[in-house]
Amino acid sequence: MAAATVVLVVILQIGFIIRALLRAGLSPTARLAWVTVISALPGAGIAAYFLFGEIRLARAGRERMREVRNKLQAAQRRTPDHNIVHTGAAYPAFAAGLATSQFPPLGGNRLTLLCEGDAMMHDVFDAIGQARDHVHVLFYIWLPDATGTRMAQALMAAARRGVTCRVLVDDHGARRLIRSNLWQLMGAAGVALERAAPVGNPFISLLFQRIDLRNHRKIIVVDNRLSWVGSRNCADAAFAIKPRFAPWVDILVRLEGPVVQQQQAVFLHDWMTHHAEDLSHMLRAPAPPAPQGNVVAQVIASGPDDIYTTPSDALRAMIYAATERMTLTTPYYVPDPALHTAICSAAERGVHTDLILPARNDSAIVGAASESLYPDLLRAGVRIHLFTPGLIHSKIVTVDGQFGMIGTANLDHRSFDLNYENSLLFHCASFTECLDQRQRSYMDRATRIDRADVADWSIIRRLRNNTLALASPLL
């Protein structure tokens, strides 16, 4: 019996190794990591690969997403007056964004950077209070705290006066809201509620799909006229589920103009994927008139249903276009090798490159994996700033004071490969300067580290970082 068990395990090992070697869309480093894990830890490695080694989506769900995407693309109103063939330095990034989510760059937009802290959400609440037709809300995390309660109250009040309100939340990230009385109250008030990426019974679900694929998007659309994009979840900056890392410092930007329809399309895609309601007609209706702006913008929506194009493609195009300066802010820095190389290469060729990270990461594993990359970054000339008063949660990249990207995607494998994300690529010198000012305020509250600081790390710390970095392609 023991010999038969050993033979069975070896056969399974060989089978899973071959499967990992044949899997499409896997980088060589990730492929090597999985082969090593399966070989070194026969039972655990096989189980880990089965659970997390492949992006498995239920067939019905994948077909539903394809059907919805085709329907919305057919309904999408084309606005030739706003479509732009961008010929400047940002053109390759916009082209990569178009390949990722099929949205063209659009001109005539206005972007407004909101203040830092809980007060940023007042802009959203005020707009919901003035909504006339519909309010669409999508959040990864929604806590039943002061901010979450006020959002629910604003939606319930809007629903009671006849505004159609639809709320979509990630089943895992918003589980505290779903289990709270607020969820029931919103439903009773007439707010349409839906859960994205439902987990259900995990022991059954994992047989058919990965259960750690999350909808990490944050989208609010009011009357197809206003929208918001950024890193802010529907929760207080005090972030009750991880208070010792508080305050969580986020960014939120109000959008006006034709790009709002792209945000609407992303929301409708997710809503219709999980709900039978066909809302494609909302993309055929003419958008309300908006103030004429001077920002060229493009929504980049990504997810695990497309393993070949990710926000990393547009980010690399941005970075290779940089000639003078570049600033990157992210809470989680575990990028794919190509993106890490692009950042180091920019610094090496003389681009003034600043990277802003949290001094204390809420994920110890991700924090250690990030630290393992500090020597490469510092050697290349990247200036690393560790934000100290709380956890920096903003996701910002700006290039040469001309263009940049904001949104929900972190600079890590999870955002690029496993999460549903939405980001905004933009070209506008004045708005880029607003973001650069905000990032300079982050650096004013950060501690800069250099190569001497890293050289003083203990052997144990370096061993820990480099050991955990071996798993970074799998994180």
Side-chain angles (χ1 to χ4, degrees):
M1 182 65 71
T5 301
V6 171
V7 171
L8 177 61
V9 170
V10 171
I11 292 173
L12 286 173
Q13 265 188 299
I14 294 172
F16 274 88
I17 288 173
I18 292 173
R19 188 175 178 94
L21 291 172
L22 294 177
R23 177 188 157 188
L26 200 64
S27 68
T29 52
R31 207 182 300 279
L32 176 60
W34 276 119
V35 169
T36 302
V37 168
I38 296 170
S39 301
L41 305 169
I46 291 170
Y49 186 84
F50 176 77
L51 294 174
F52 307 113
E54 298 183 4
I55 300 175
R56 295 181 296 125
L57 294 168
R59 180 175 298 179
R62 188 185 292 272
E63 291 176 355
R64 175 63 179 167
M65 280 188 280
R66 186 181 299 112
E67 174 189 338
V68 169
R69 185 179 296 111
N70 291 339
K71 182 175 292 187
L72 291 176
Q73 286 179 350
Q76 187 88 24
R77 295 186 78 251
R78 303 302 174 187
T79 53
D81 292 343
H82 294 289
N83 287 357
I84 290 179
V85 177
H86 208 283
T87 57
Y91 172 78
F94 282 120
L98 177 62
T100 299
S101 57
Q102 305 305 307
F103 291 133
L106 301 174
N109 300 287
R110 177 179 293 177
L111 274 58
T112 304
L113 177 61
L114 302 181
C115 64
E116 192 176 301
D118 288 332
M120 71 172 64
M121 298 298 289
H122 296 170
D123 192 62
V124 177
F125 302 145
D126 291 345
I128 294 174
Q130 299 173 32
R132 297 181 178 180
D133 182 70
H134 67 272
V135 178
H136 291 162
V137 176
L138 166 57
F139 278 112
Y140 170 58
I141 294 175
W142 185 332
L143 299 181
D145 55 13
T147 297
T149 298
R150 186 167 177 187
M151 176 69 78
Q153 291 171 340
L155 290 167
M156 288 188 286
R160 291 188 183 108
R161 65 175 188 268
V163 176
T164 300
C165 297
R166 298 180 179 91
V167 168
L168 179 65
V169 294
D170 183 82
D171 191 42
H172 175 74
R175 62 192 182 279
R176 291 180 180 237
L177 170 72
I178 295 169
R179 297 168 185 168
S180 75
N181 192 42
L182 273 182
W183 186 255
Q184 305 300 325
L185 290 174
M186 282 195 290
V191 178
L193 305 173
E194 193 58 72
R195 297 176 298 160
V199 176
N201 186 323
F203 298 103
I204 296 177
S205 297
L206 63 80
L207 297 176
F208 303 100
Q209 62 182 12
R210 283 187 65 158
I211 61 174
D212 64 331
L213 303 180
R214 309 314 322 160
N215 193 318
H216 194 242
R217 293 170 177 157
K218 293 94 175 167
I219 297 175
I220 307 160
V221 181
V222 173
D223 292 343
N224 208 27
R225 180 178 59 89
L226 296 173
S227 188
W228 289 260
V229 66
S231 63
R232 180 68 183 248
N233 286 294
C234 192
D236 295 342
F239 213 59
I241 54 177
K242 293 184 178 180
R244 66 192 184 95
F245 299 98
W248 287 51
V249 178
D250 281 291
I251 184 173
L252 191 63
V253 173
R254 186 202 318 139
L255 312 180
E256 299 170 84
V259 78
V260 170
Q261 190 184 57
Q262 295 183 354
Q263 288 272 95
Q264 181 81 287
V266 178
F267 175 88
L268 295 182
H269 173 272
D270 290 357
W271 180 266
M272 292 168 59
T273 295
H274 298 284
H275 197 287
E277 188 178 18
D278 184 356
L279 300 175
S280 57
H281 65 277
M282 298 188 75
L283 297 184
R284 298 189 186 98
Q292 185 71 16
N294 64 340
V295 182
V296 178
Q298 172 191 54
V299 170
I300 300 178
S302 60
D305 52 310
D306 183 357
I307 61 175
Y308 296 104
T309 57
T310 75
S312 179
D313 300 333
L315 285 166
R316 291 199 308 275
M318 292 170 61
I319 292 166
Y320 280 118
T323 58
E324 298 177 5
R325 55 193 171 94
M326 178 174 65
T327 307
L328 309 94
T329 300
T330 182
Y332 311 116
Y333 185 79
V334 191
D336 55 70
L339 182 57
H340 179 66
T341 298
I343 293 171
C344 291
S345 176
E348 287 169 347
R349 68 175 183 269
V351 176
H352 185 112
T353 305
D354 291 292
L355 176 61
I356 305 168
L357 302 170
R360 286 198 313 148
N361 203 297
D362 65 308
S363 171
I365 294 176
V366 171
S370 296
E371 284 191 359
S372 74
L373 299 174
Y374 288 5
D376 285 348
L377 294 164
L378 293 168
R379 191 179 304 112
V382 176
R383 297 162 181 82
I384 301 177
H385 309 265
L386 300 182
F387 187 84
T388 53
L391 190 137
I392 189 74
H393 192 245
S394 302
K395 303 95 165 57
I396 311 170
V397 178
T398 55
V399 174
D400 288 345
Q402 296 296 318
F403 58 96
M405 184 186 293
I406 55 174
T408 67
N410 299 299
L411 302 183
D412 66 355
H413 289 276
R414 168 158 283 281
S415 286
F416 299 151
D417 300 331
L418 301 180
N419 287 343
Y420 292 93
E421 306 279 4
N422 72 291
S423 299
L424 187 80
L425 178 61
F426 60 87
H427 187 280
C428 174
S430 59
F431 184 70
T432 303
E433 174 57 25
C434 289
L435 290 180
D436 281 337
Q437 289 181 9
R438 179 65 58 86
Q439 292 188 109
R440 285 194 290 271
S441 80
Y442 296 160
M443 286 187 273
D444 289 341
R445 290 171 279 171
T447 300
R448 183 176 165 186
I449 65 168
D450 55 27
R451 296 176 69 177
D453 296 319
V454 172
D456 287 338
W457 287 350
S458 68
I459 292 177
I460 293 176
R461 183 173 182 176
R462 285 182 283 139
L463 182 63
R464 178 205 64 178
N465 294 346
N466 292 340
T467 300
L468 289 174
L470 295 174
S472 62
L474 315 181
L475 292 176

